Amino acid sequence: MSETDGRRKRAQTSRDRIVAAMLALVEEGHITPSADLVAAQAAVGLRTVFRHFADMETLYGAMTTELSRHYDLGVHPSAAEDWQGRLREGAERRITTYETLLPFKRAADAHRHMSPAIQAEHDRVLALMRARLESVLPAAVRLQAGLVETIDLLLSFDVWQRLRGDQKLPVEQSRAIILAEIDRIVRDCGVR
């Protein structure tokens, strides 16, 4: 391996450690970890943090991009053969993802208003989830705009965050509430 390749590999390793440190700190509950704290967690110098990331905005952007892979990895073929089953499977997957990403979403939301990178990734993920939802719904349901908006709302991170954080409900109760409403909507919509 050439000296240049070795330097690139070390630089990538340092960059990965910094992002991993940021993720670990946020997972521990630090909504806005300082660069000093990130450097200490990554066992690198503060200068190393800013050599890889121009500012904390860039580091938050890298964290958000890393977390977005969870949404992208959530795409698996559905085992269900009907749209109702596929919708329920999608709801279950979202709930599992949301619970895993809850501390990171809180941190991202705290910075989204001042971070074009976080806002852009947020918009991309929302569009991706909306497209996935619409791909499951039959045309007769998609034509009912209010119904689609209600399902999209129920399956949003915002609803999960409200149930878990603001209302302080346990995971299983939060899950049961969302799934019961989805099941009710599906049953009442009259589309088979």
Side-chain angles (χ1 to χ4, degrees), residues 1-13:
M1 181 163 57
S2 74
E3 187 177 324
T4 302
D5 289 340
R7 267 197 305 267
R8 268 194 208 117
K9 185 174 182 179
R10 285 190 302 278
Q12 186 60 50
T13 299

Side-chain angles (χ1 to χ4, degrees), residues 99 160 163-164 167-176:
E99 184 60 23
W160 186 254
L163 291 170
R164 295 285 291 125
Q167 293 177 225
K168 300 187 182 351
L169 299 178
V171 171
E172 287 312 313
Q173 187 177 4
S174 300
R175 179 187 310 271

Side-chain angles (χ1 to χ4, degrees), residues 75-116:
V75 181
H76 301 292
S78 179
E81 295 186 19
D82 60 353
W83 74 270
Q84 297 95 332
R86 288 191 296 275
L87 178 61
R88 189 170 173 90
E89 280 183 33
E92 289 275 6
R93 288 178 187 163
R94 282 192 190 195
I95 288 168
T96 300
T97 300
Y98 292 165
E99 184 60 23
T100 301
L101 298 181
L102 201 52
F104 306 108
K105 177 74 163 114
R106 286 182 185 133
D109 284 350
H111 297 277
R112 187 166 23 118
H113 71 283
M114 59 187 176
S115 171

Side-chain angles (χ1 to χ4, degrees), residues 30-184:
H30 299 273
I31 298 289
T32 309
S34 68
D36 288 324
L37 193 56
V38 172
Q41 179 80 14
V44 298
L46 185 59
R47 288 179 55 177
T48 301
V49 171
F50 289 114
R51 190 175 326 120
H52 292 285
F53 301 96
D55 51 28
M56 289 304 286
E57 147 74 7
T58 310
L59 181 52
Y60 277 103
M63 178 188 80
T64 303
T65 300
E66 180 66 25
L67 292 171
S68 295
R69 293 184 326 118
H70 287 276
Y71 291 104
D72 296 335
L73 294 173
V75 181
H76 301 292
S78 179
E81 295 186 19
D82 60 353
W83 74 270
Q84 297 95 332
R86 288 191 296 275
L87 178 61
R88 189 170 173 90
E89 280 183 33
E92 289 275 6
R93 288 178 187 163
R94 282 192 190 195
I95 288 168
T96 300
T97 300
Y98 292 165
E99 184 60 23
T100 301
L101 298 181
L102 201 52
F104 306 108
K105 177 74 163 114
R106 286 182 185 133
D109 284 350
H111 297 277
R112 187 166 23 118
H113 71 283
M114 59 187 176
S115 171
I118 293 173
Q119 183 63 55
E121 192 58 26
H122 174 78
D123 294 344
R124 186 192 76 80
V125 168
L126 285 181
L128 173 70
M129 292 191 310
R130 178 62 177 240
R132 286 182 187 165
L133 172 62
E134 290 179 353
S135 74
V136 167
L137 301 175
V141 172
R142 287 194 312 269
L143 290 173
Q144 300 177 50
L147 185 58
V148 174
E149 296 304 331
T150 301
I151 294 169
D152 197 28
L153 172 67
L154 282 170
L155 295 179
S156 70
F157 212 127
D158 298 314
V159 167
W160 186 254
Q161 196 163 324
R162 168 78 187 254
L163 291 170
R164 295 285 291 125
D166 298 337
Q167 293 177 225
K168 300 187 182 351
L169 299 178
V171 171
E172 287 312 313
Q173 187 177 4
S174 300
R175 179 187 310 271
I177 288 168
I178 291 172
L179 294 177
E181 284 305 302
I182 293 295
D183 289 345
R184 183 190 60 76

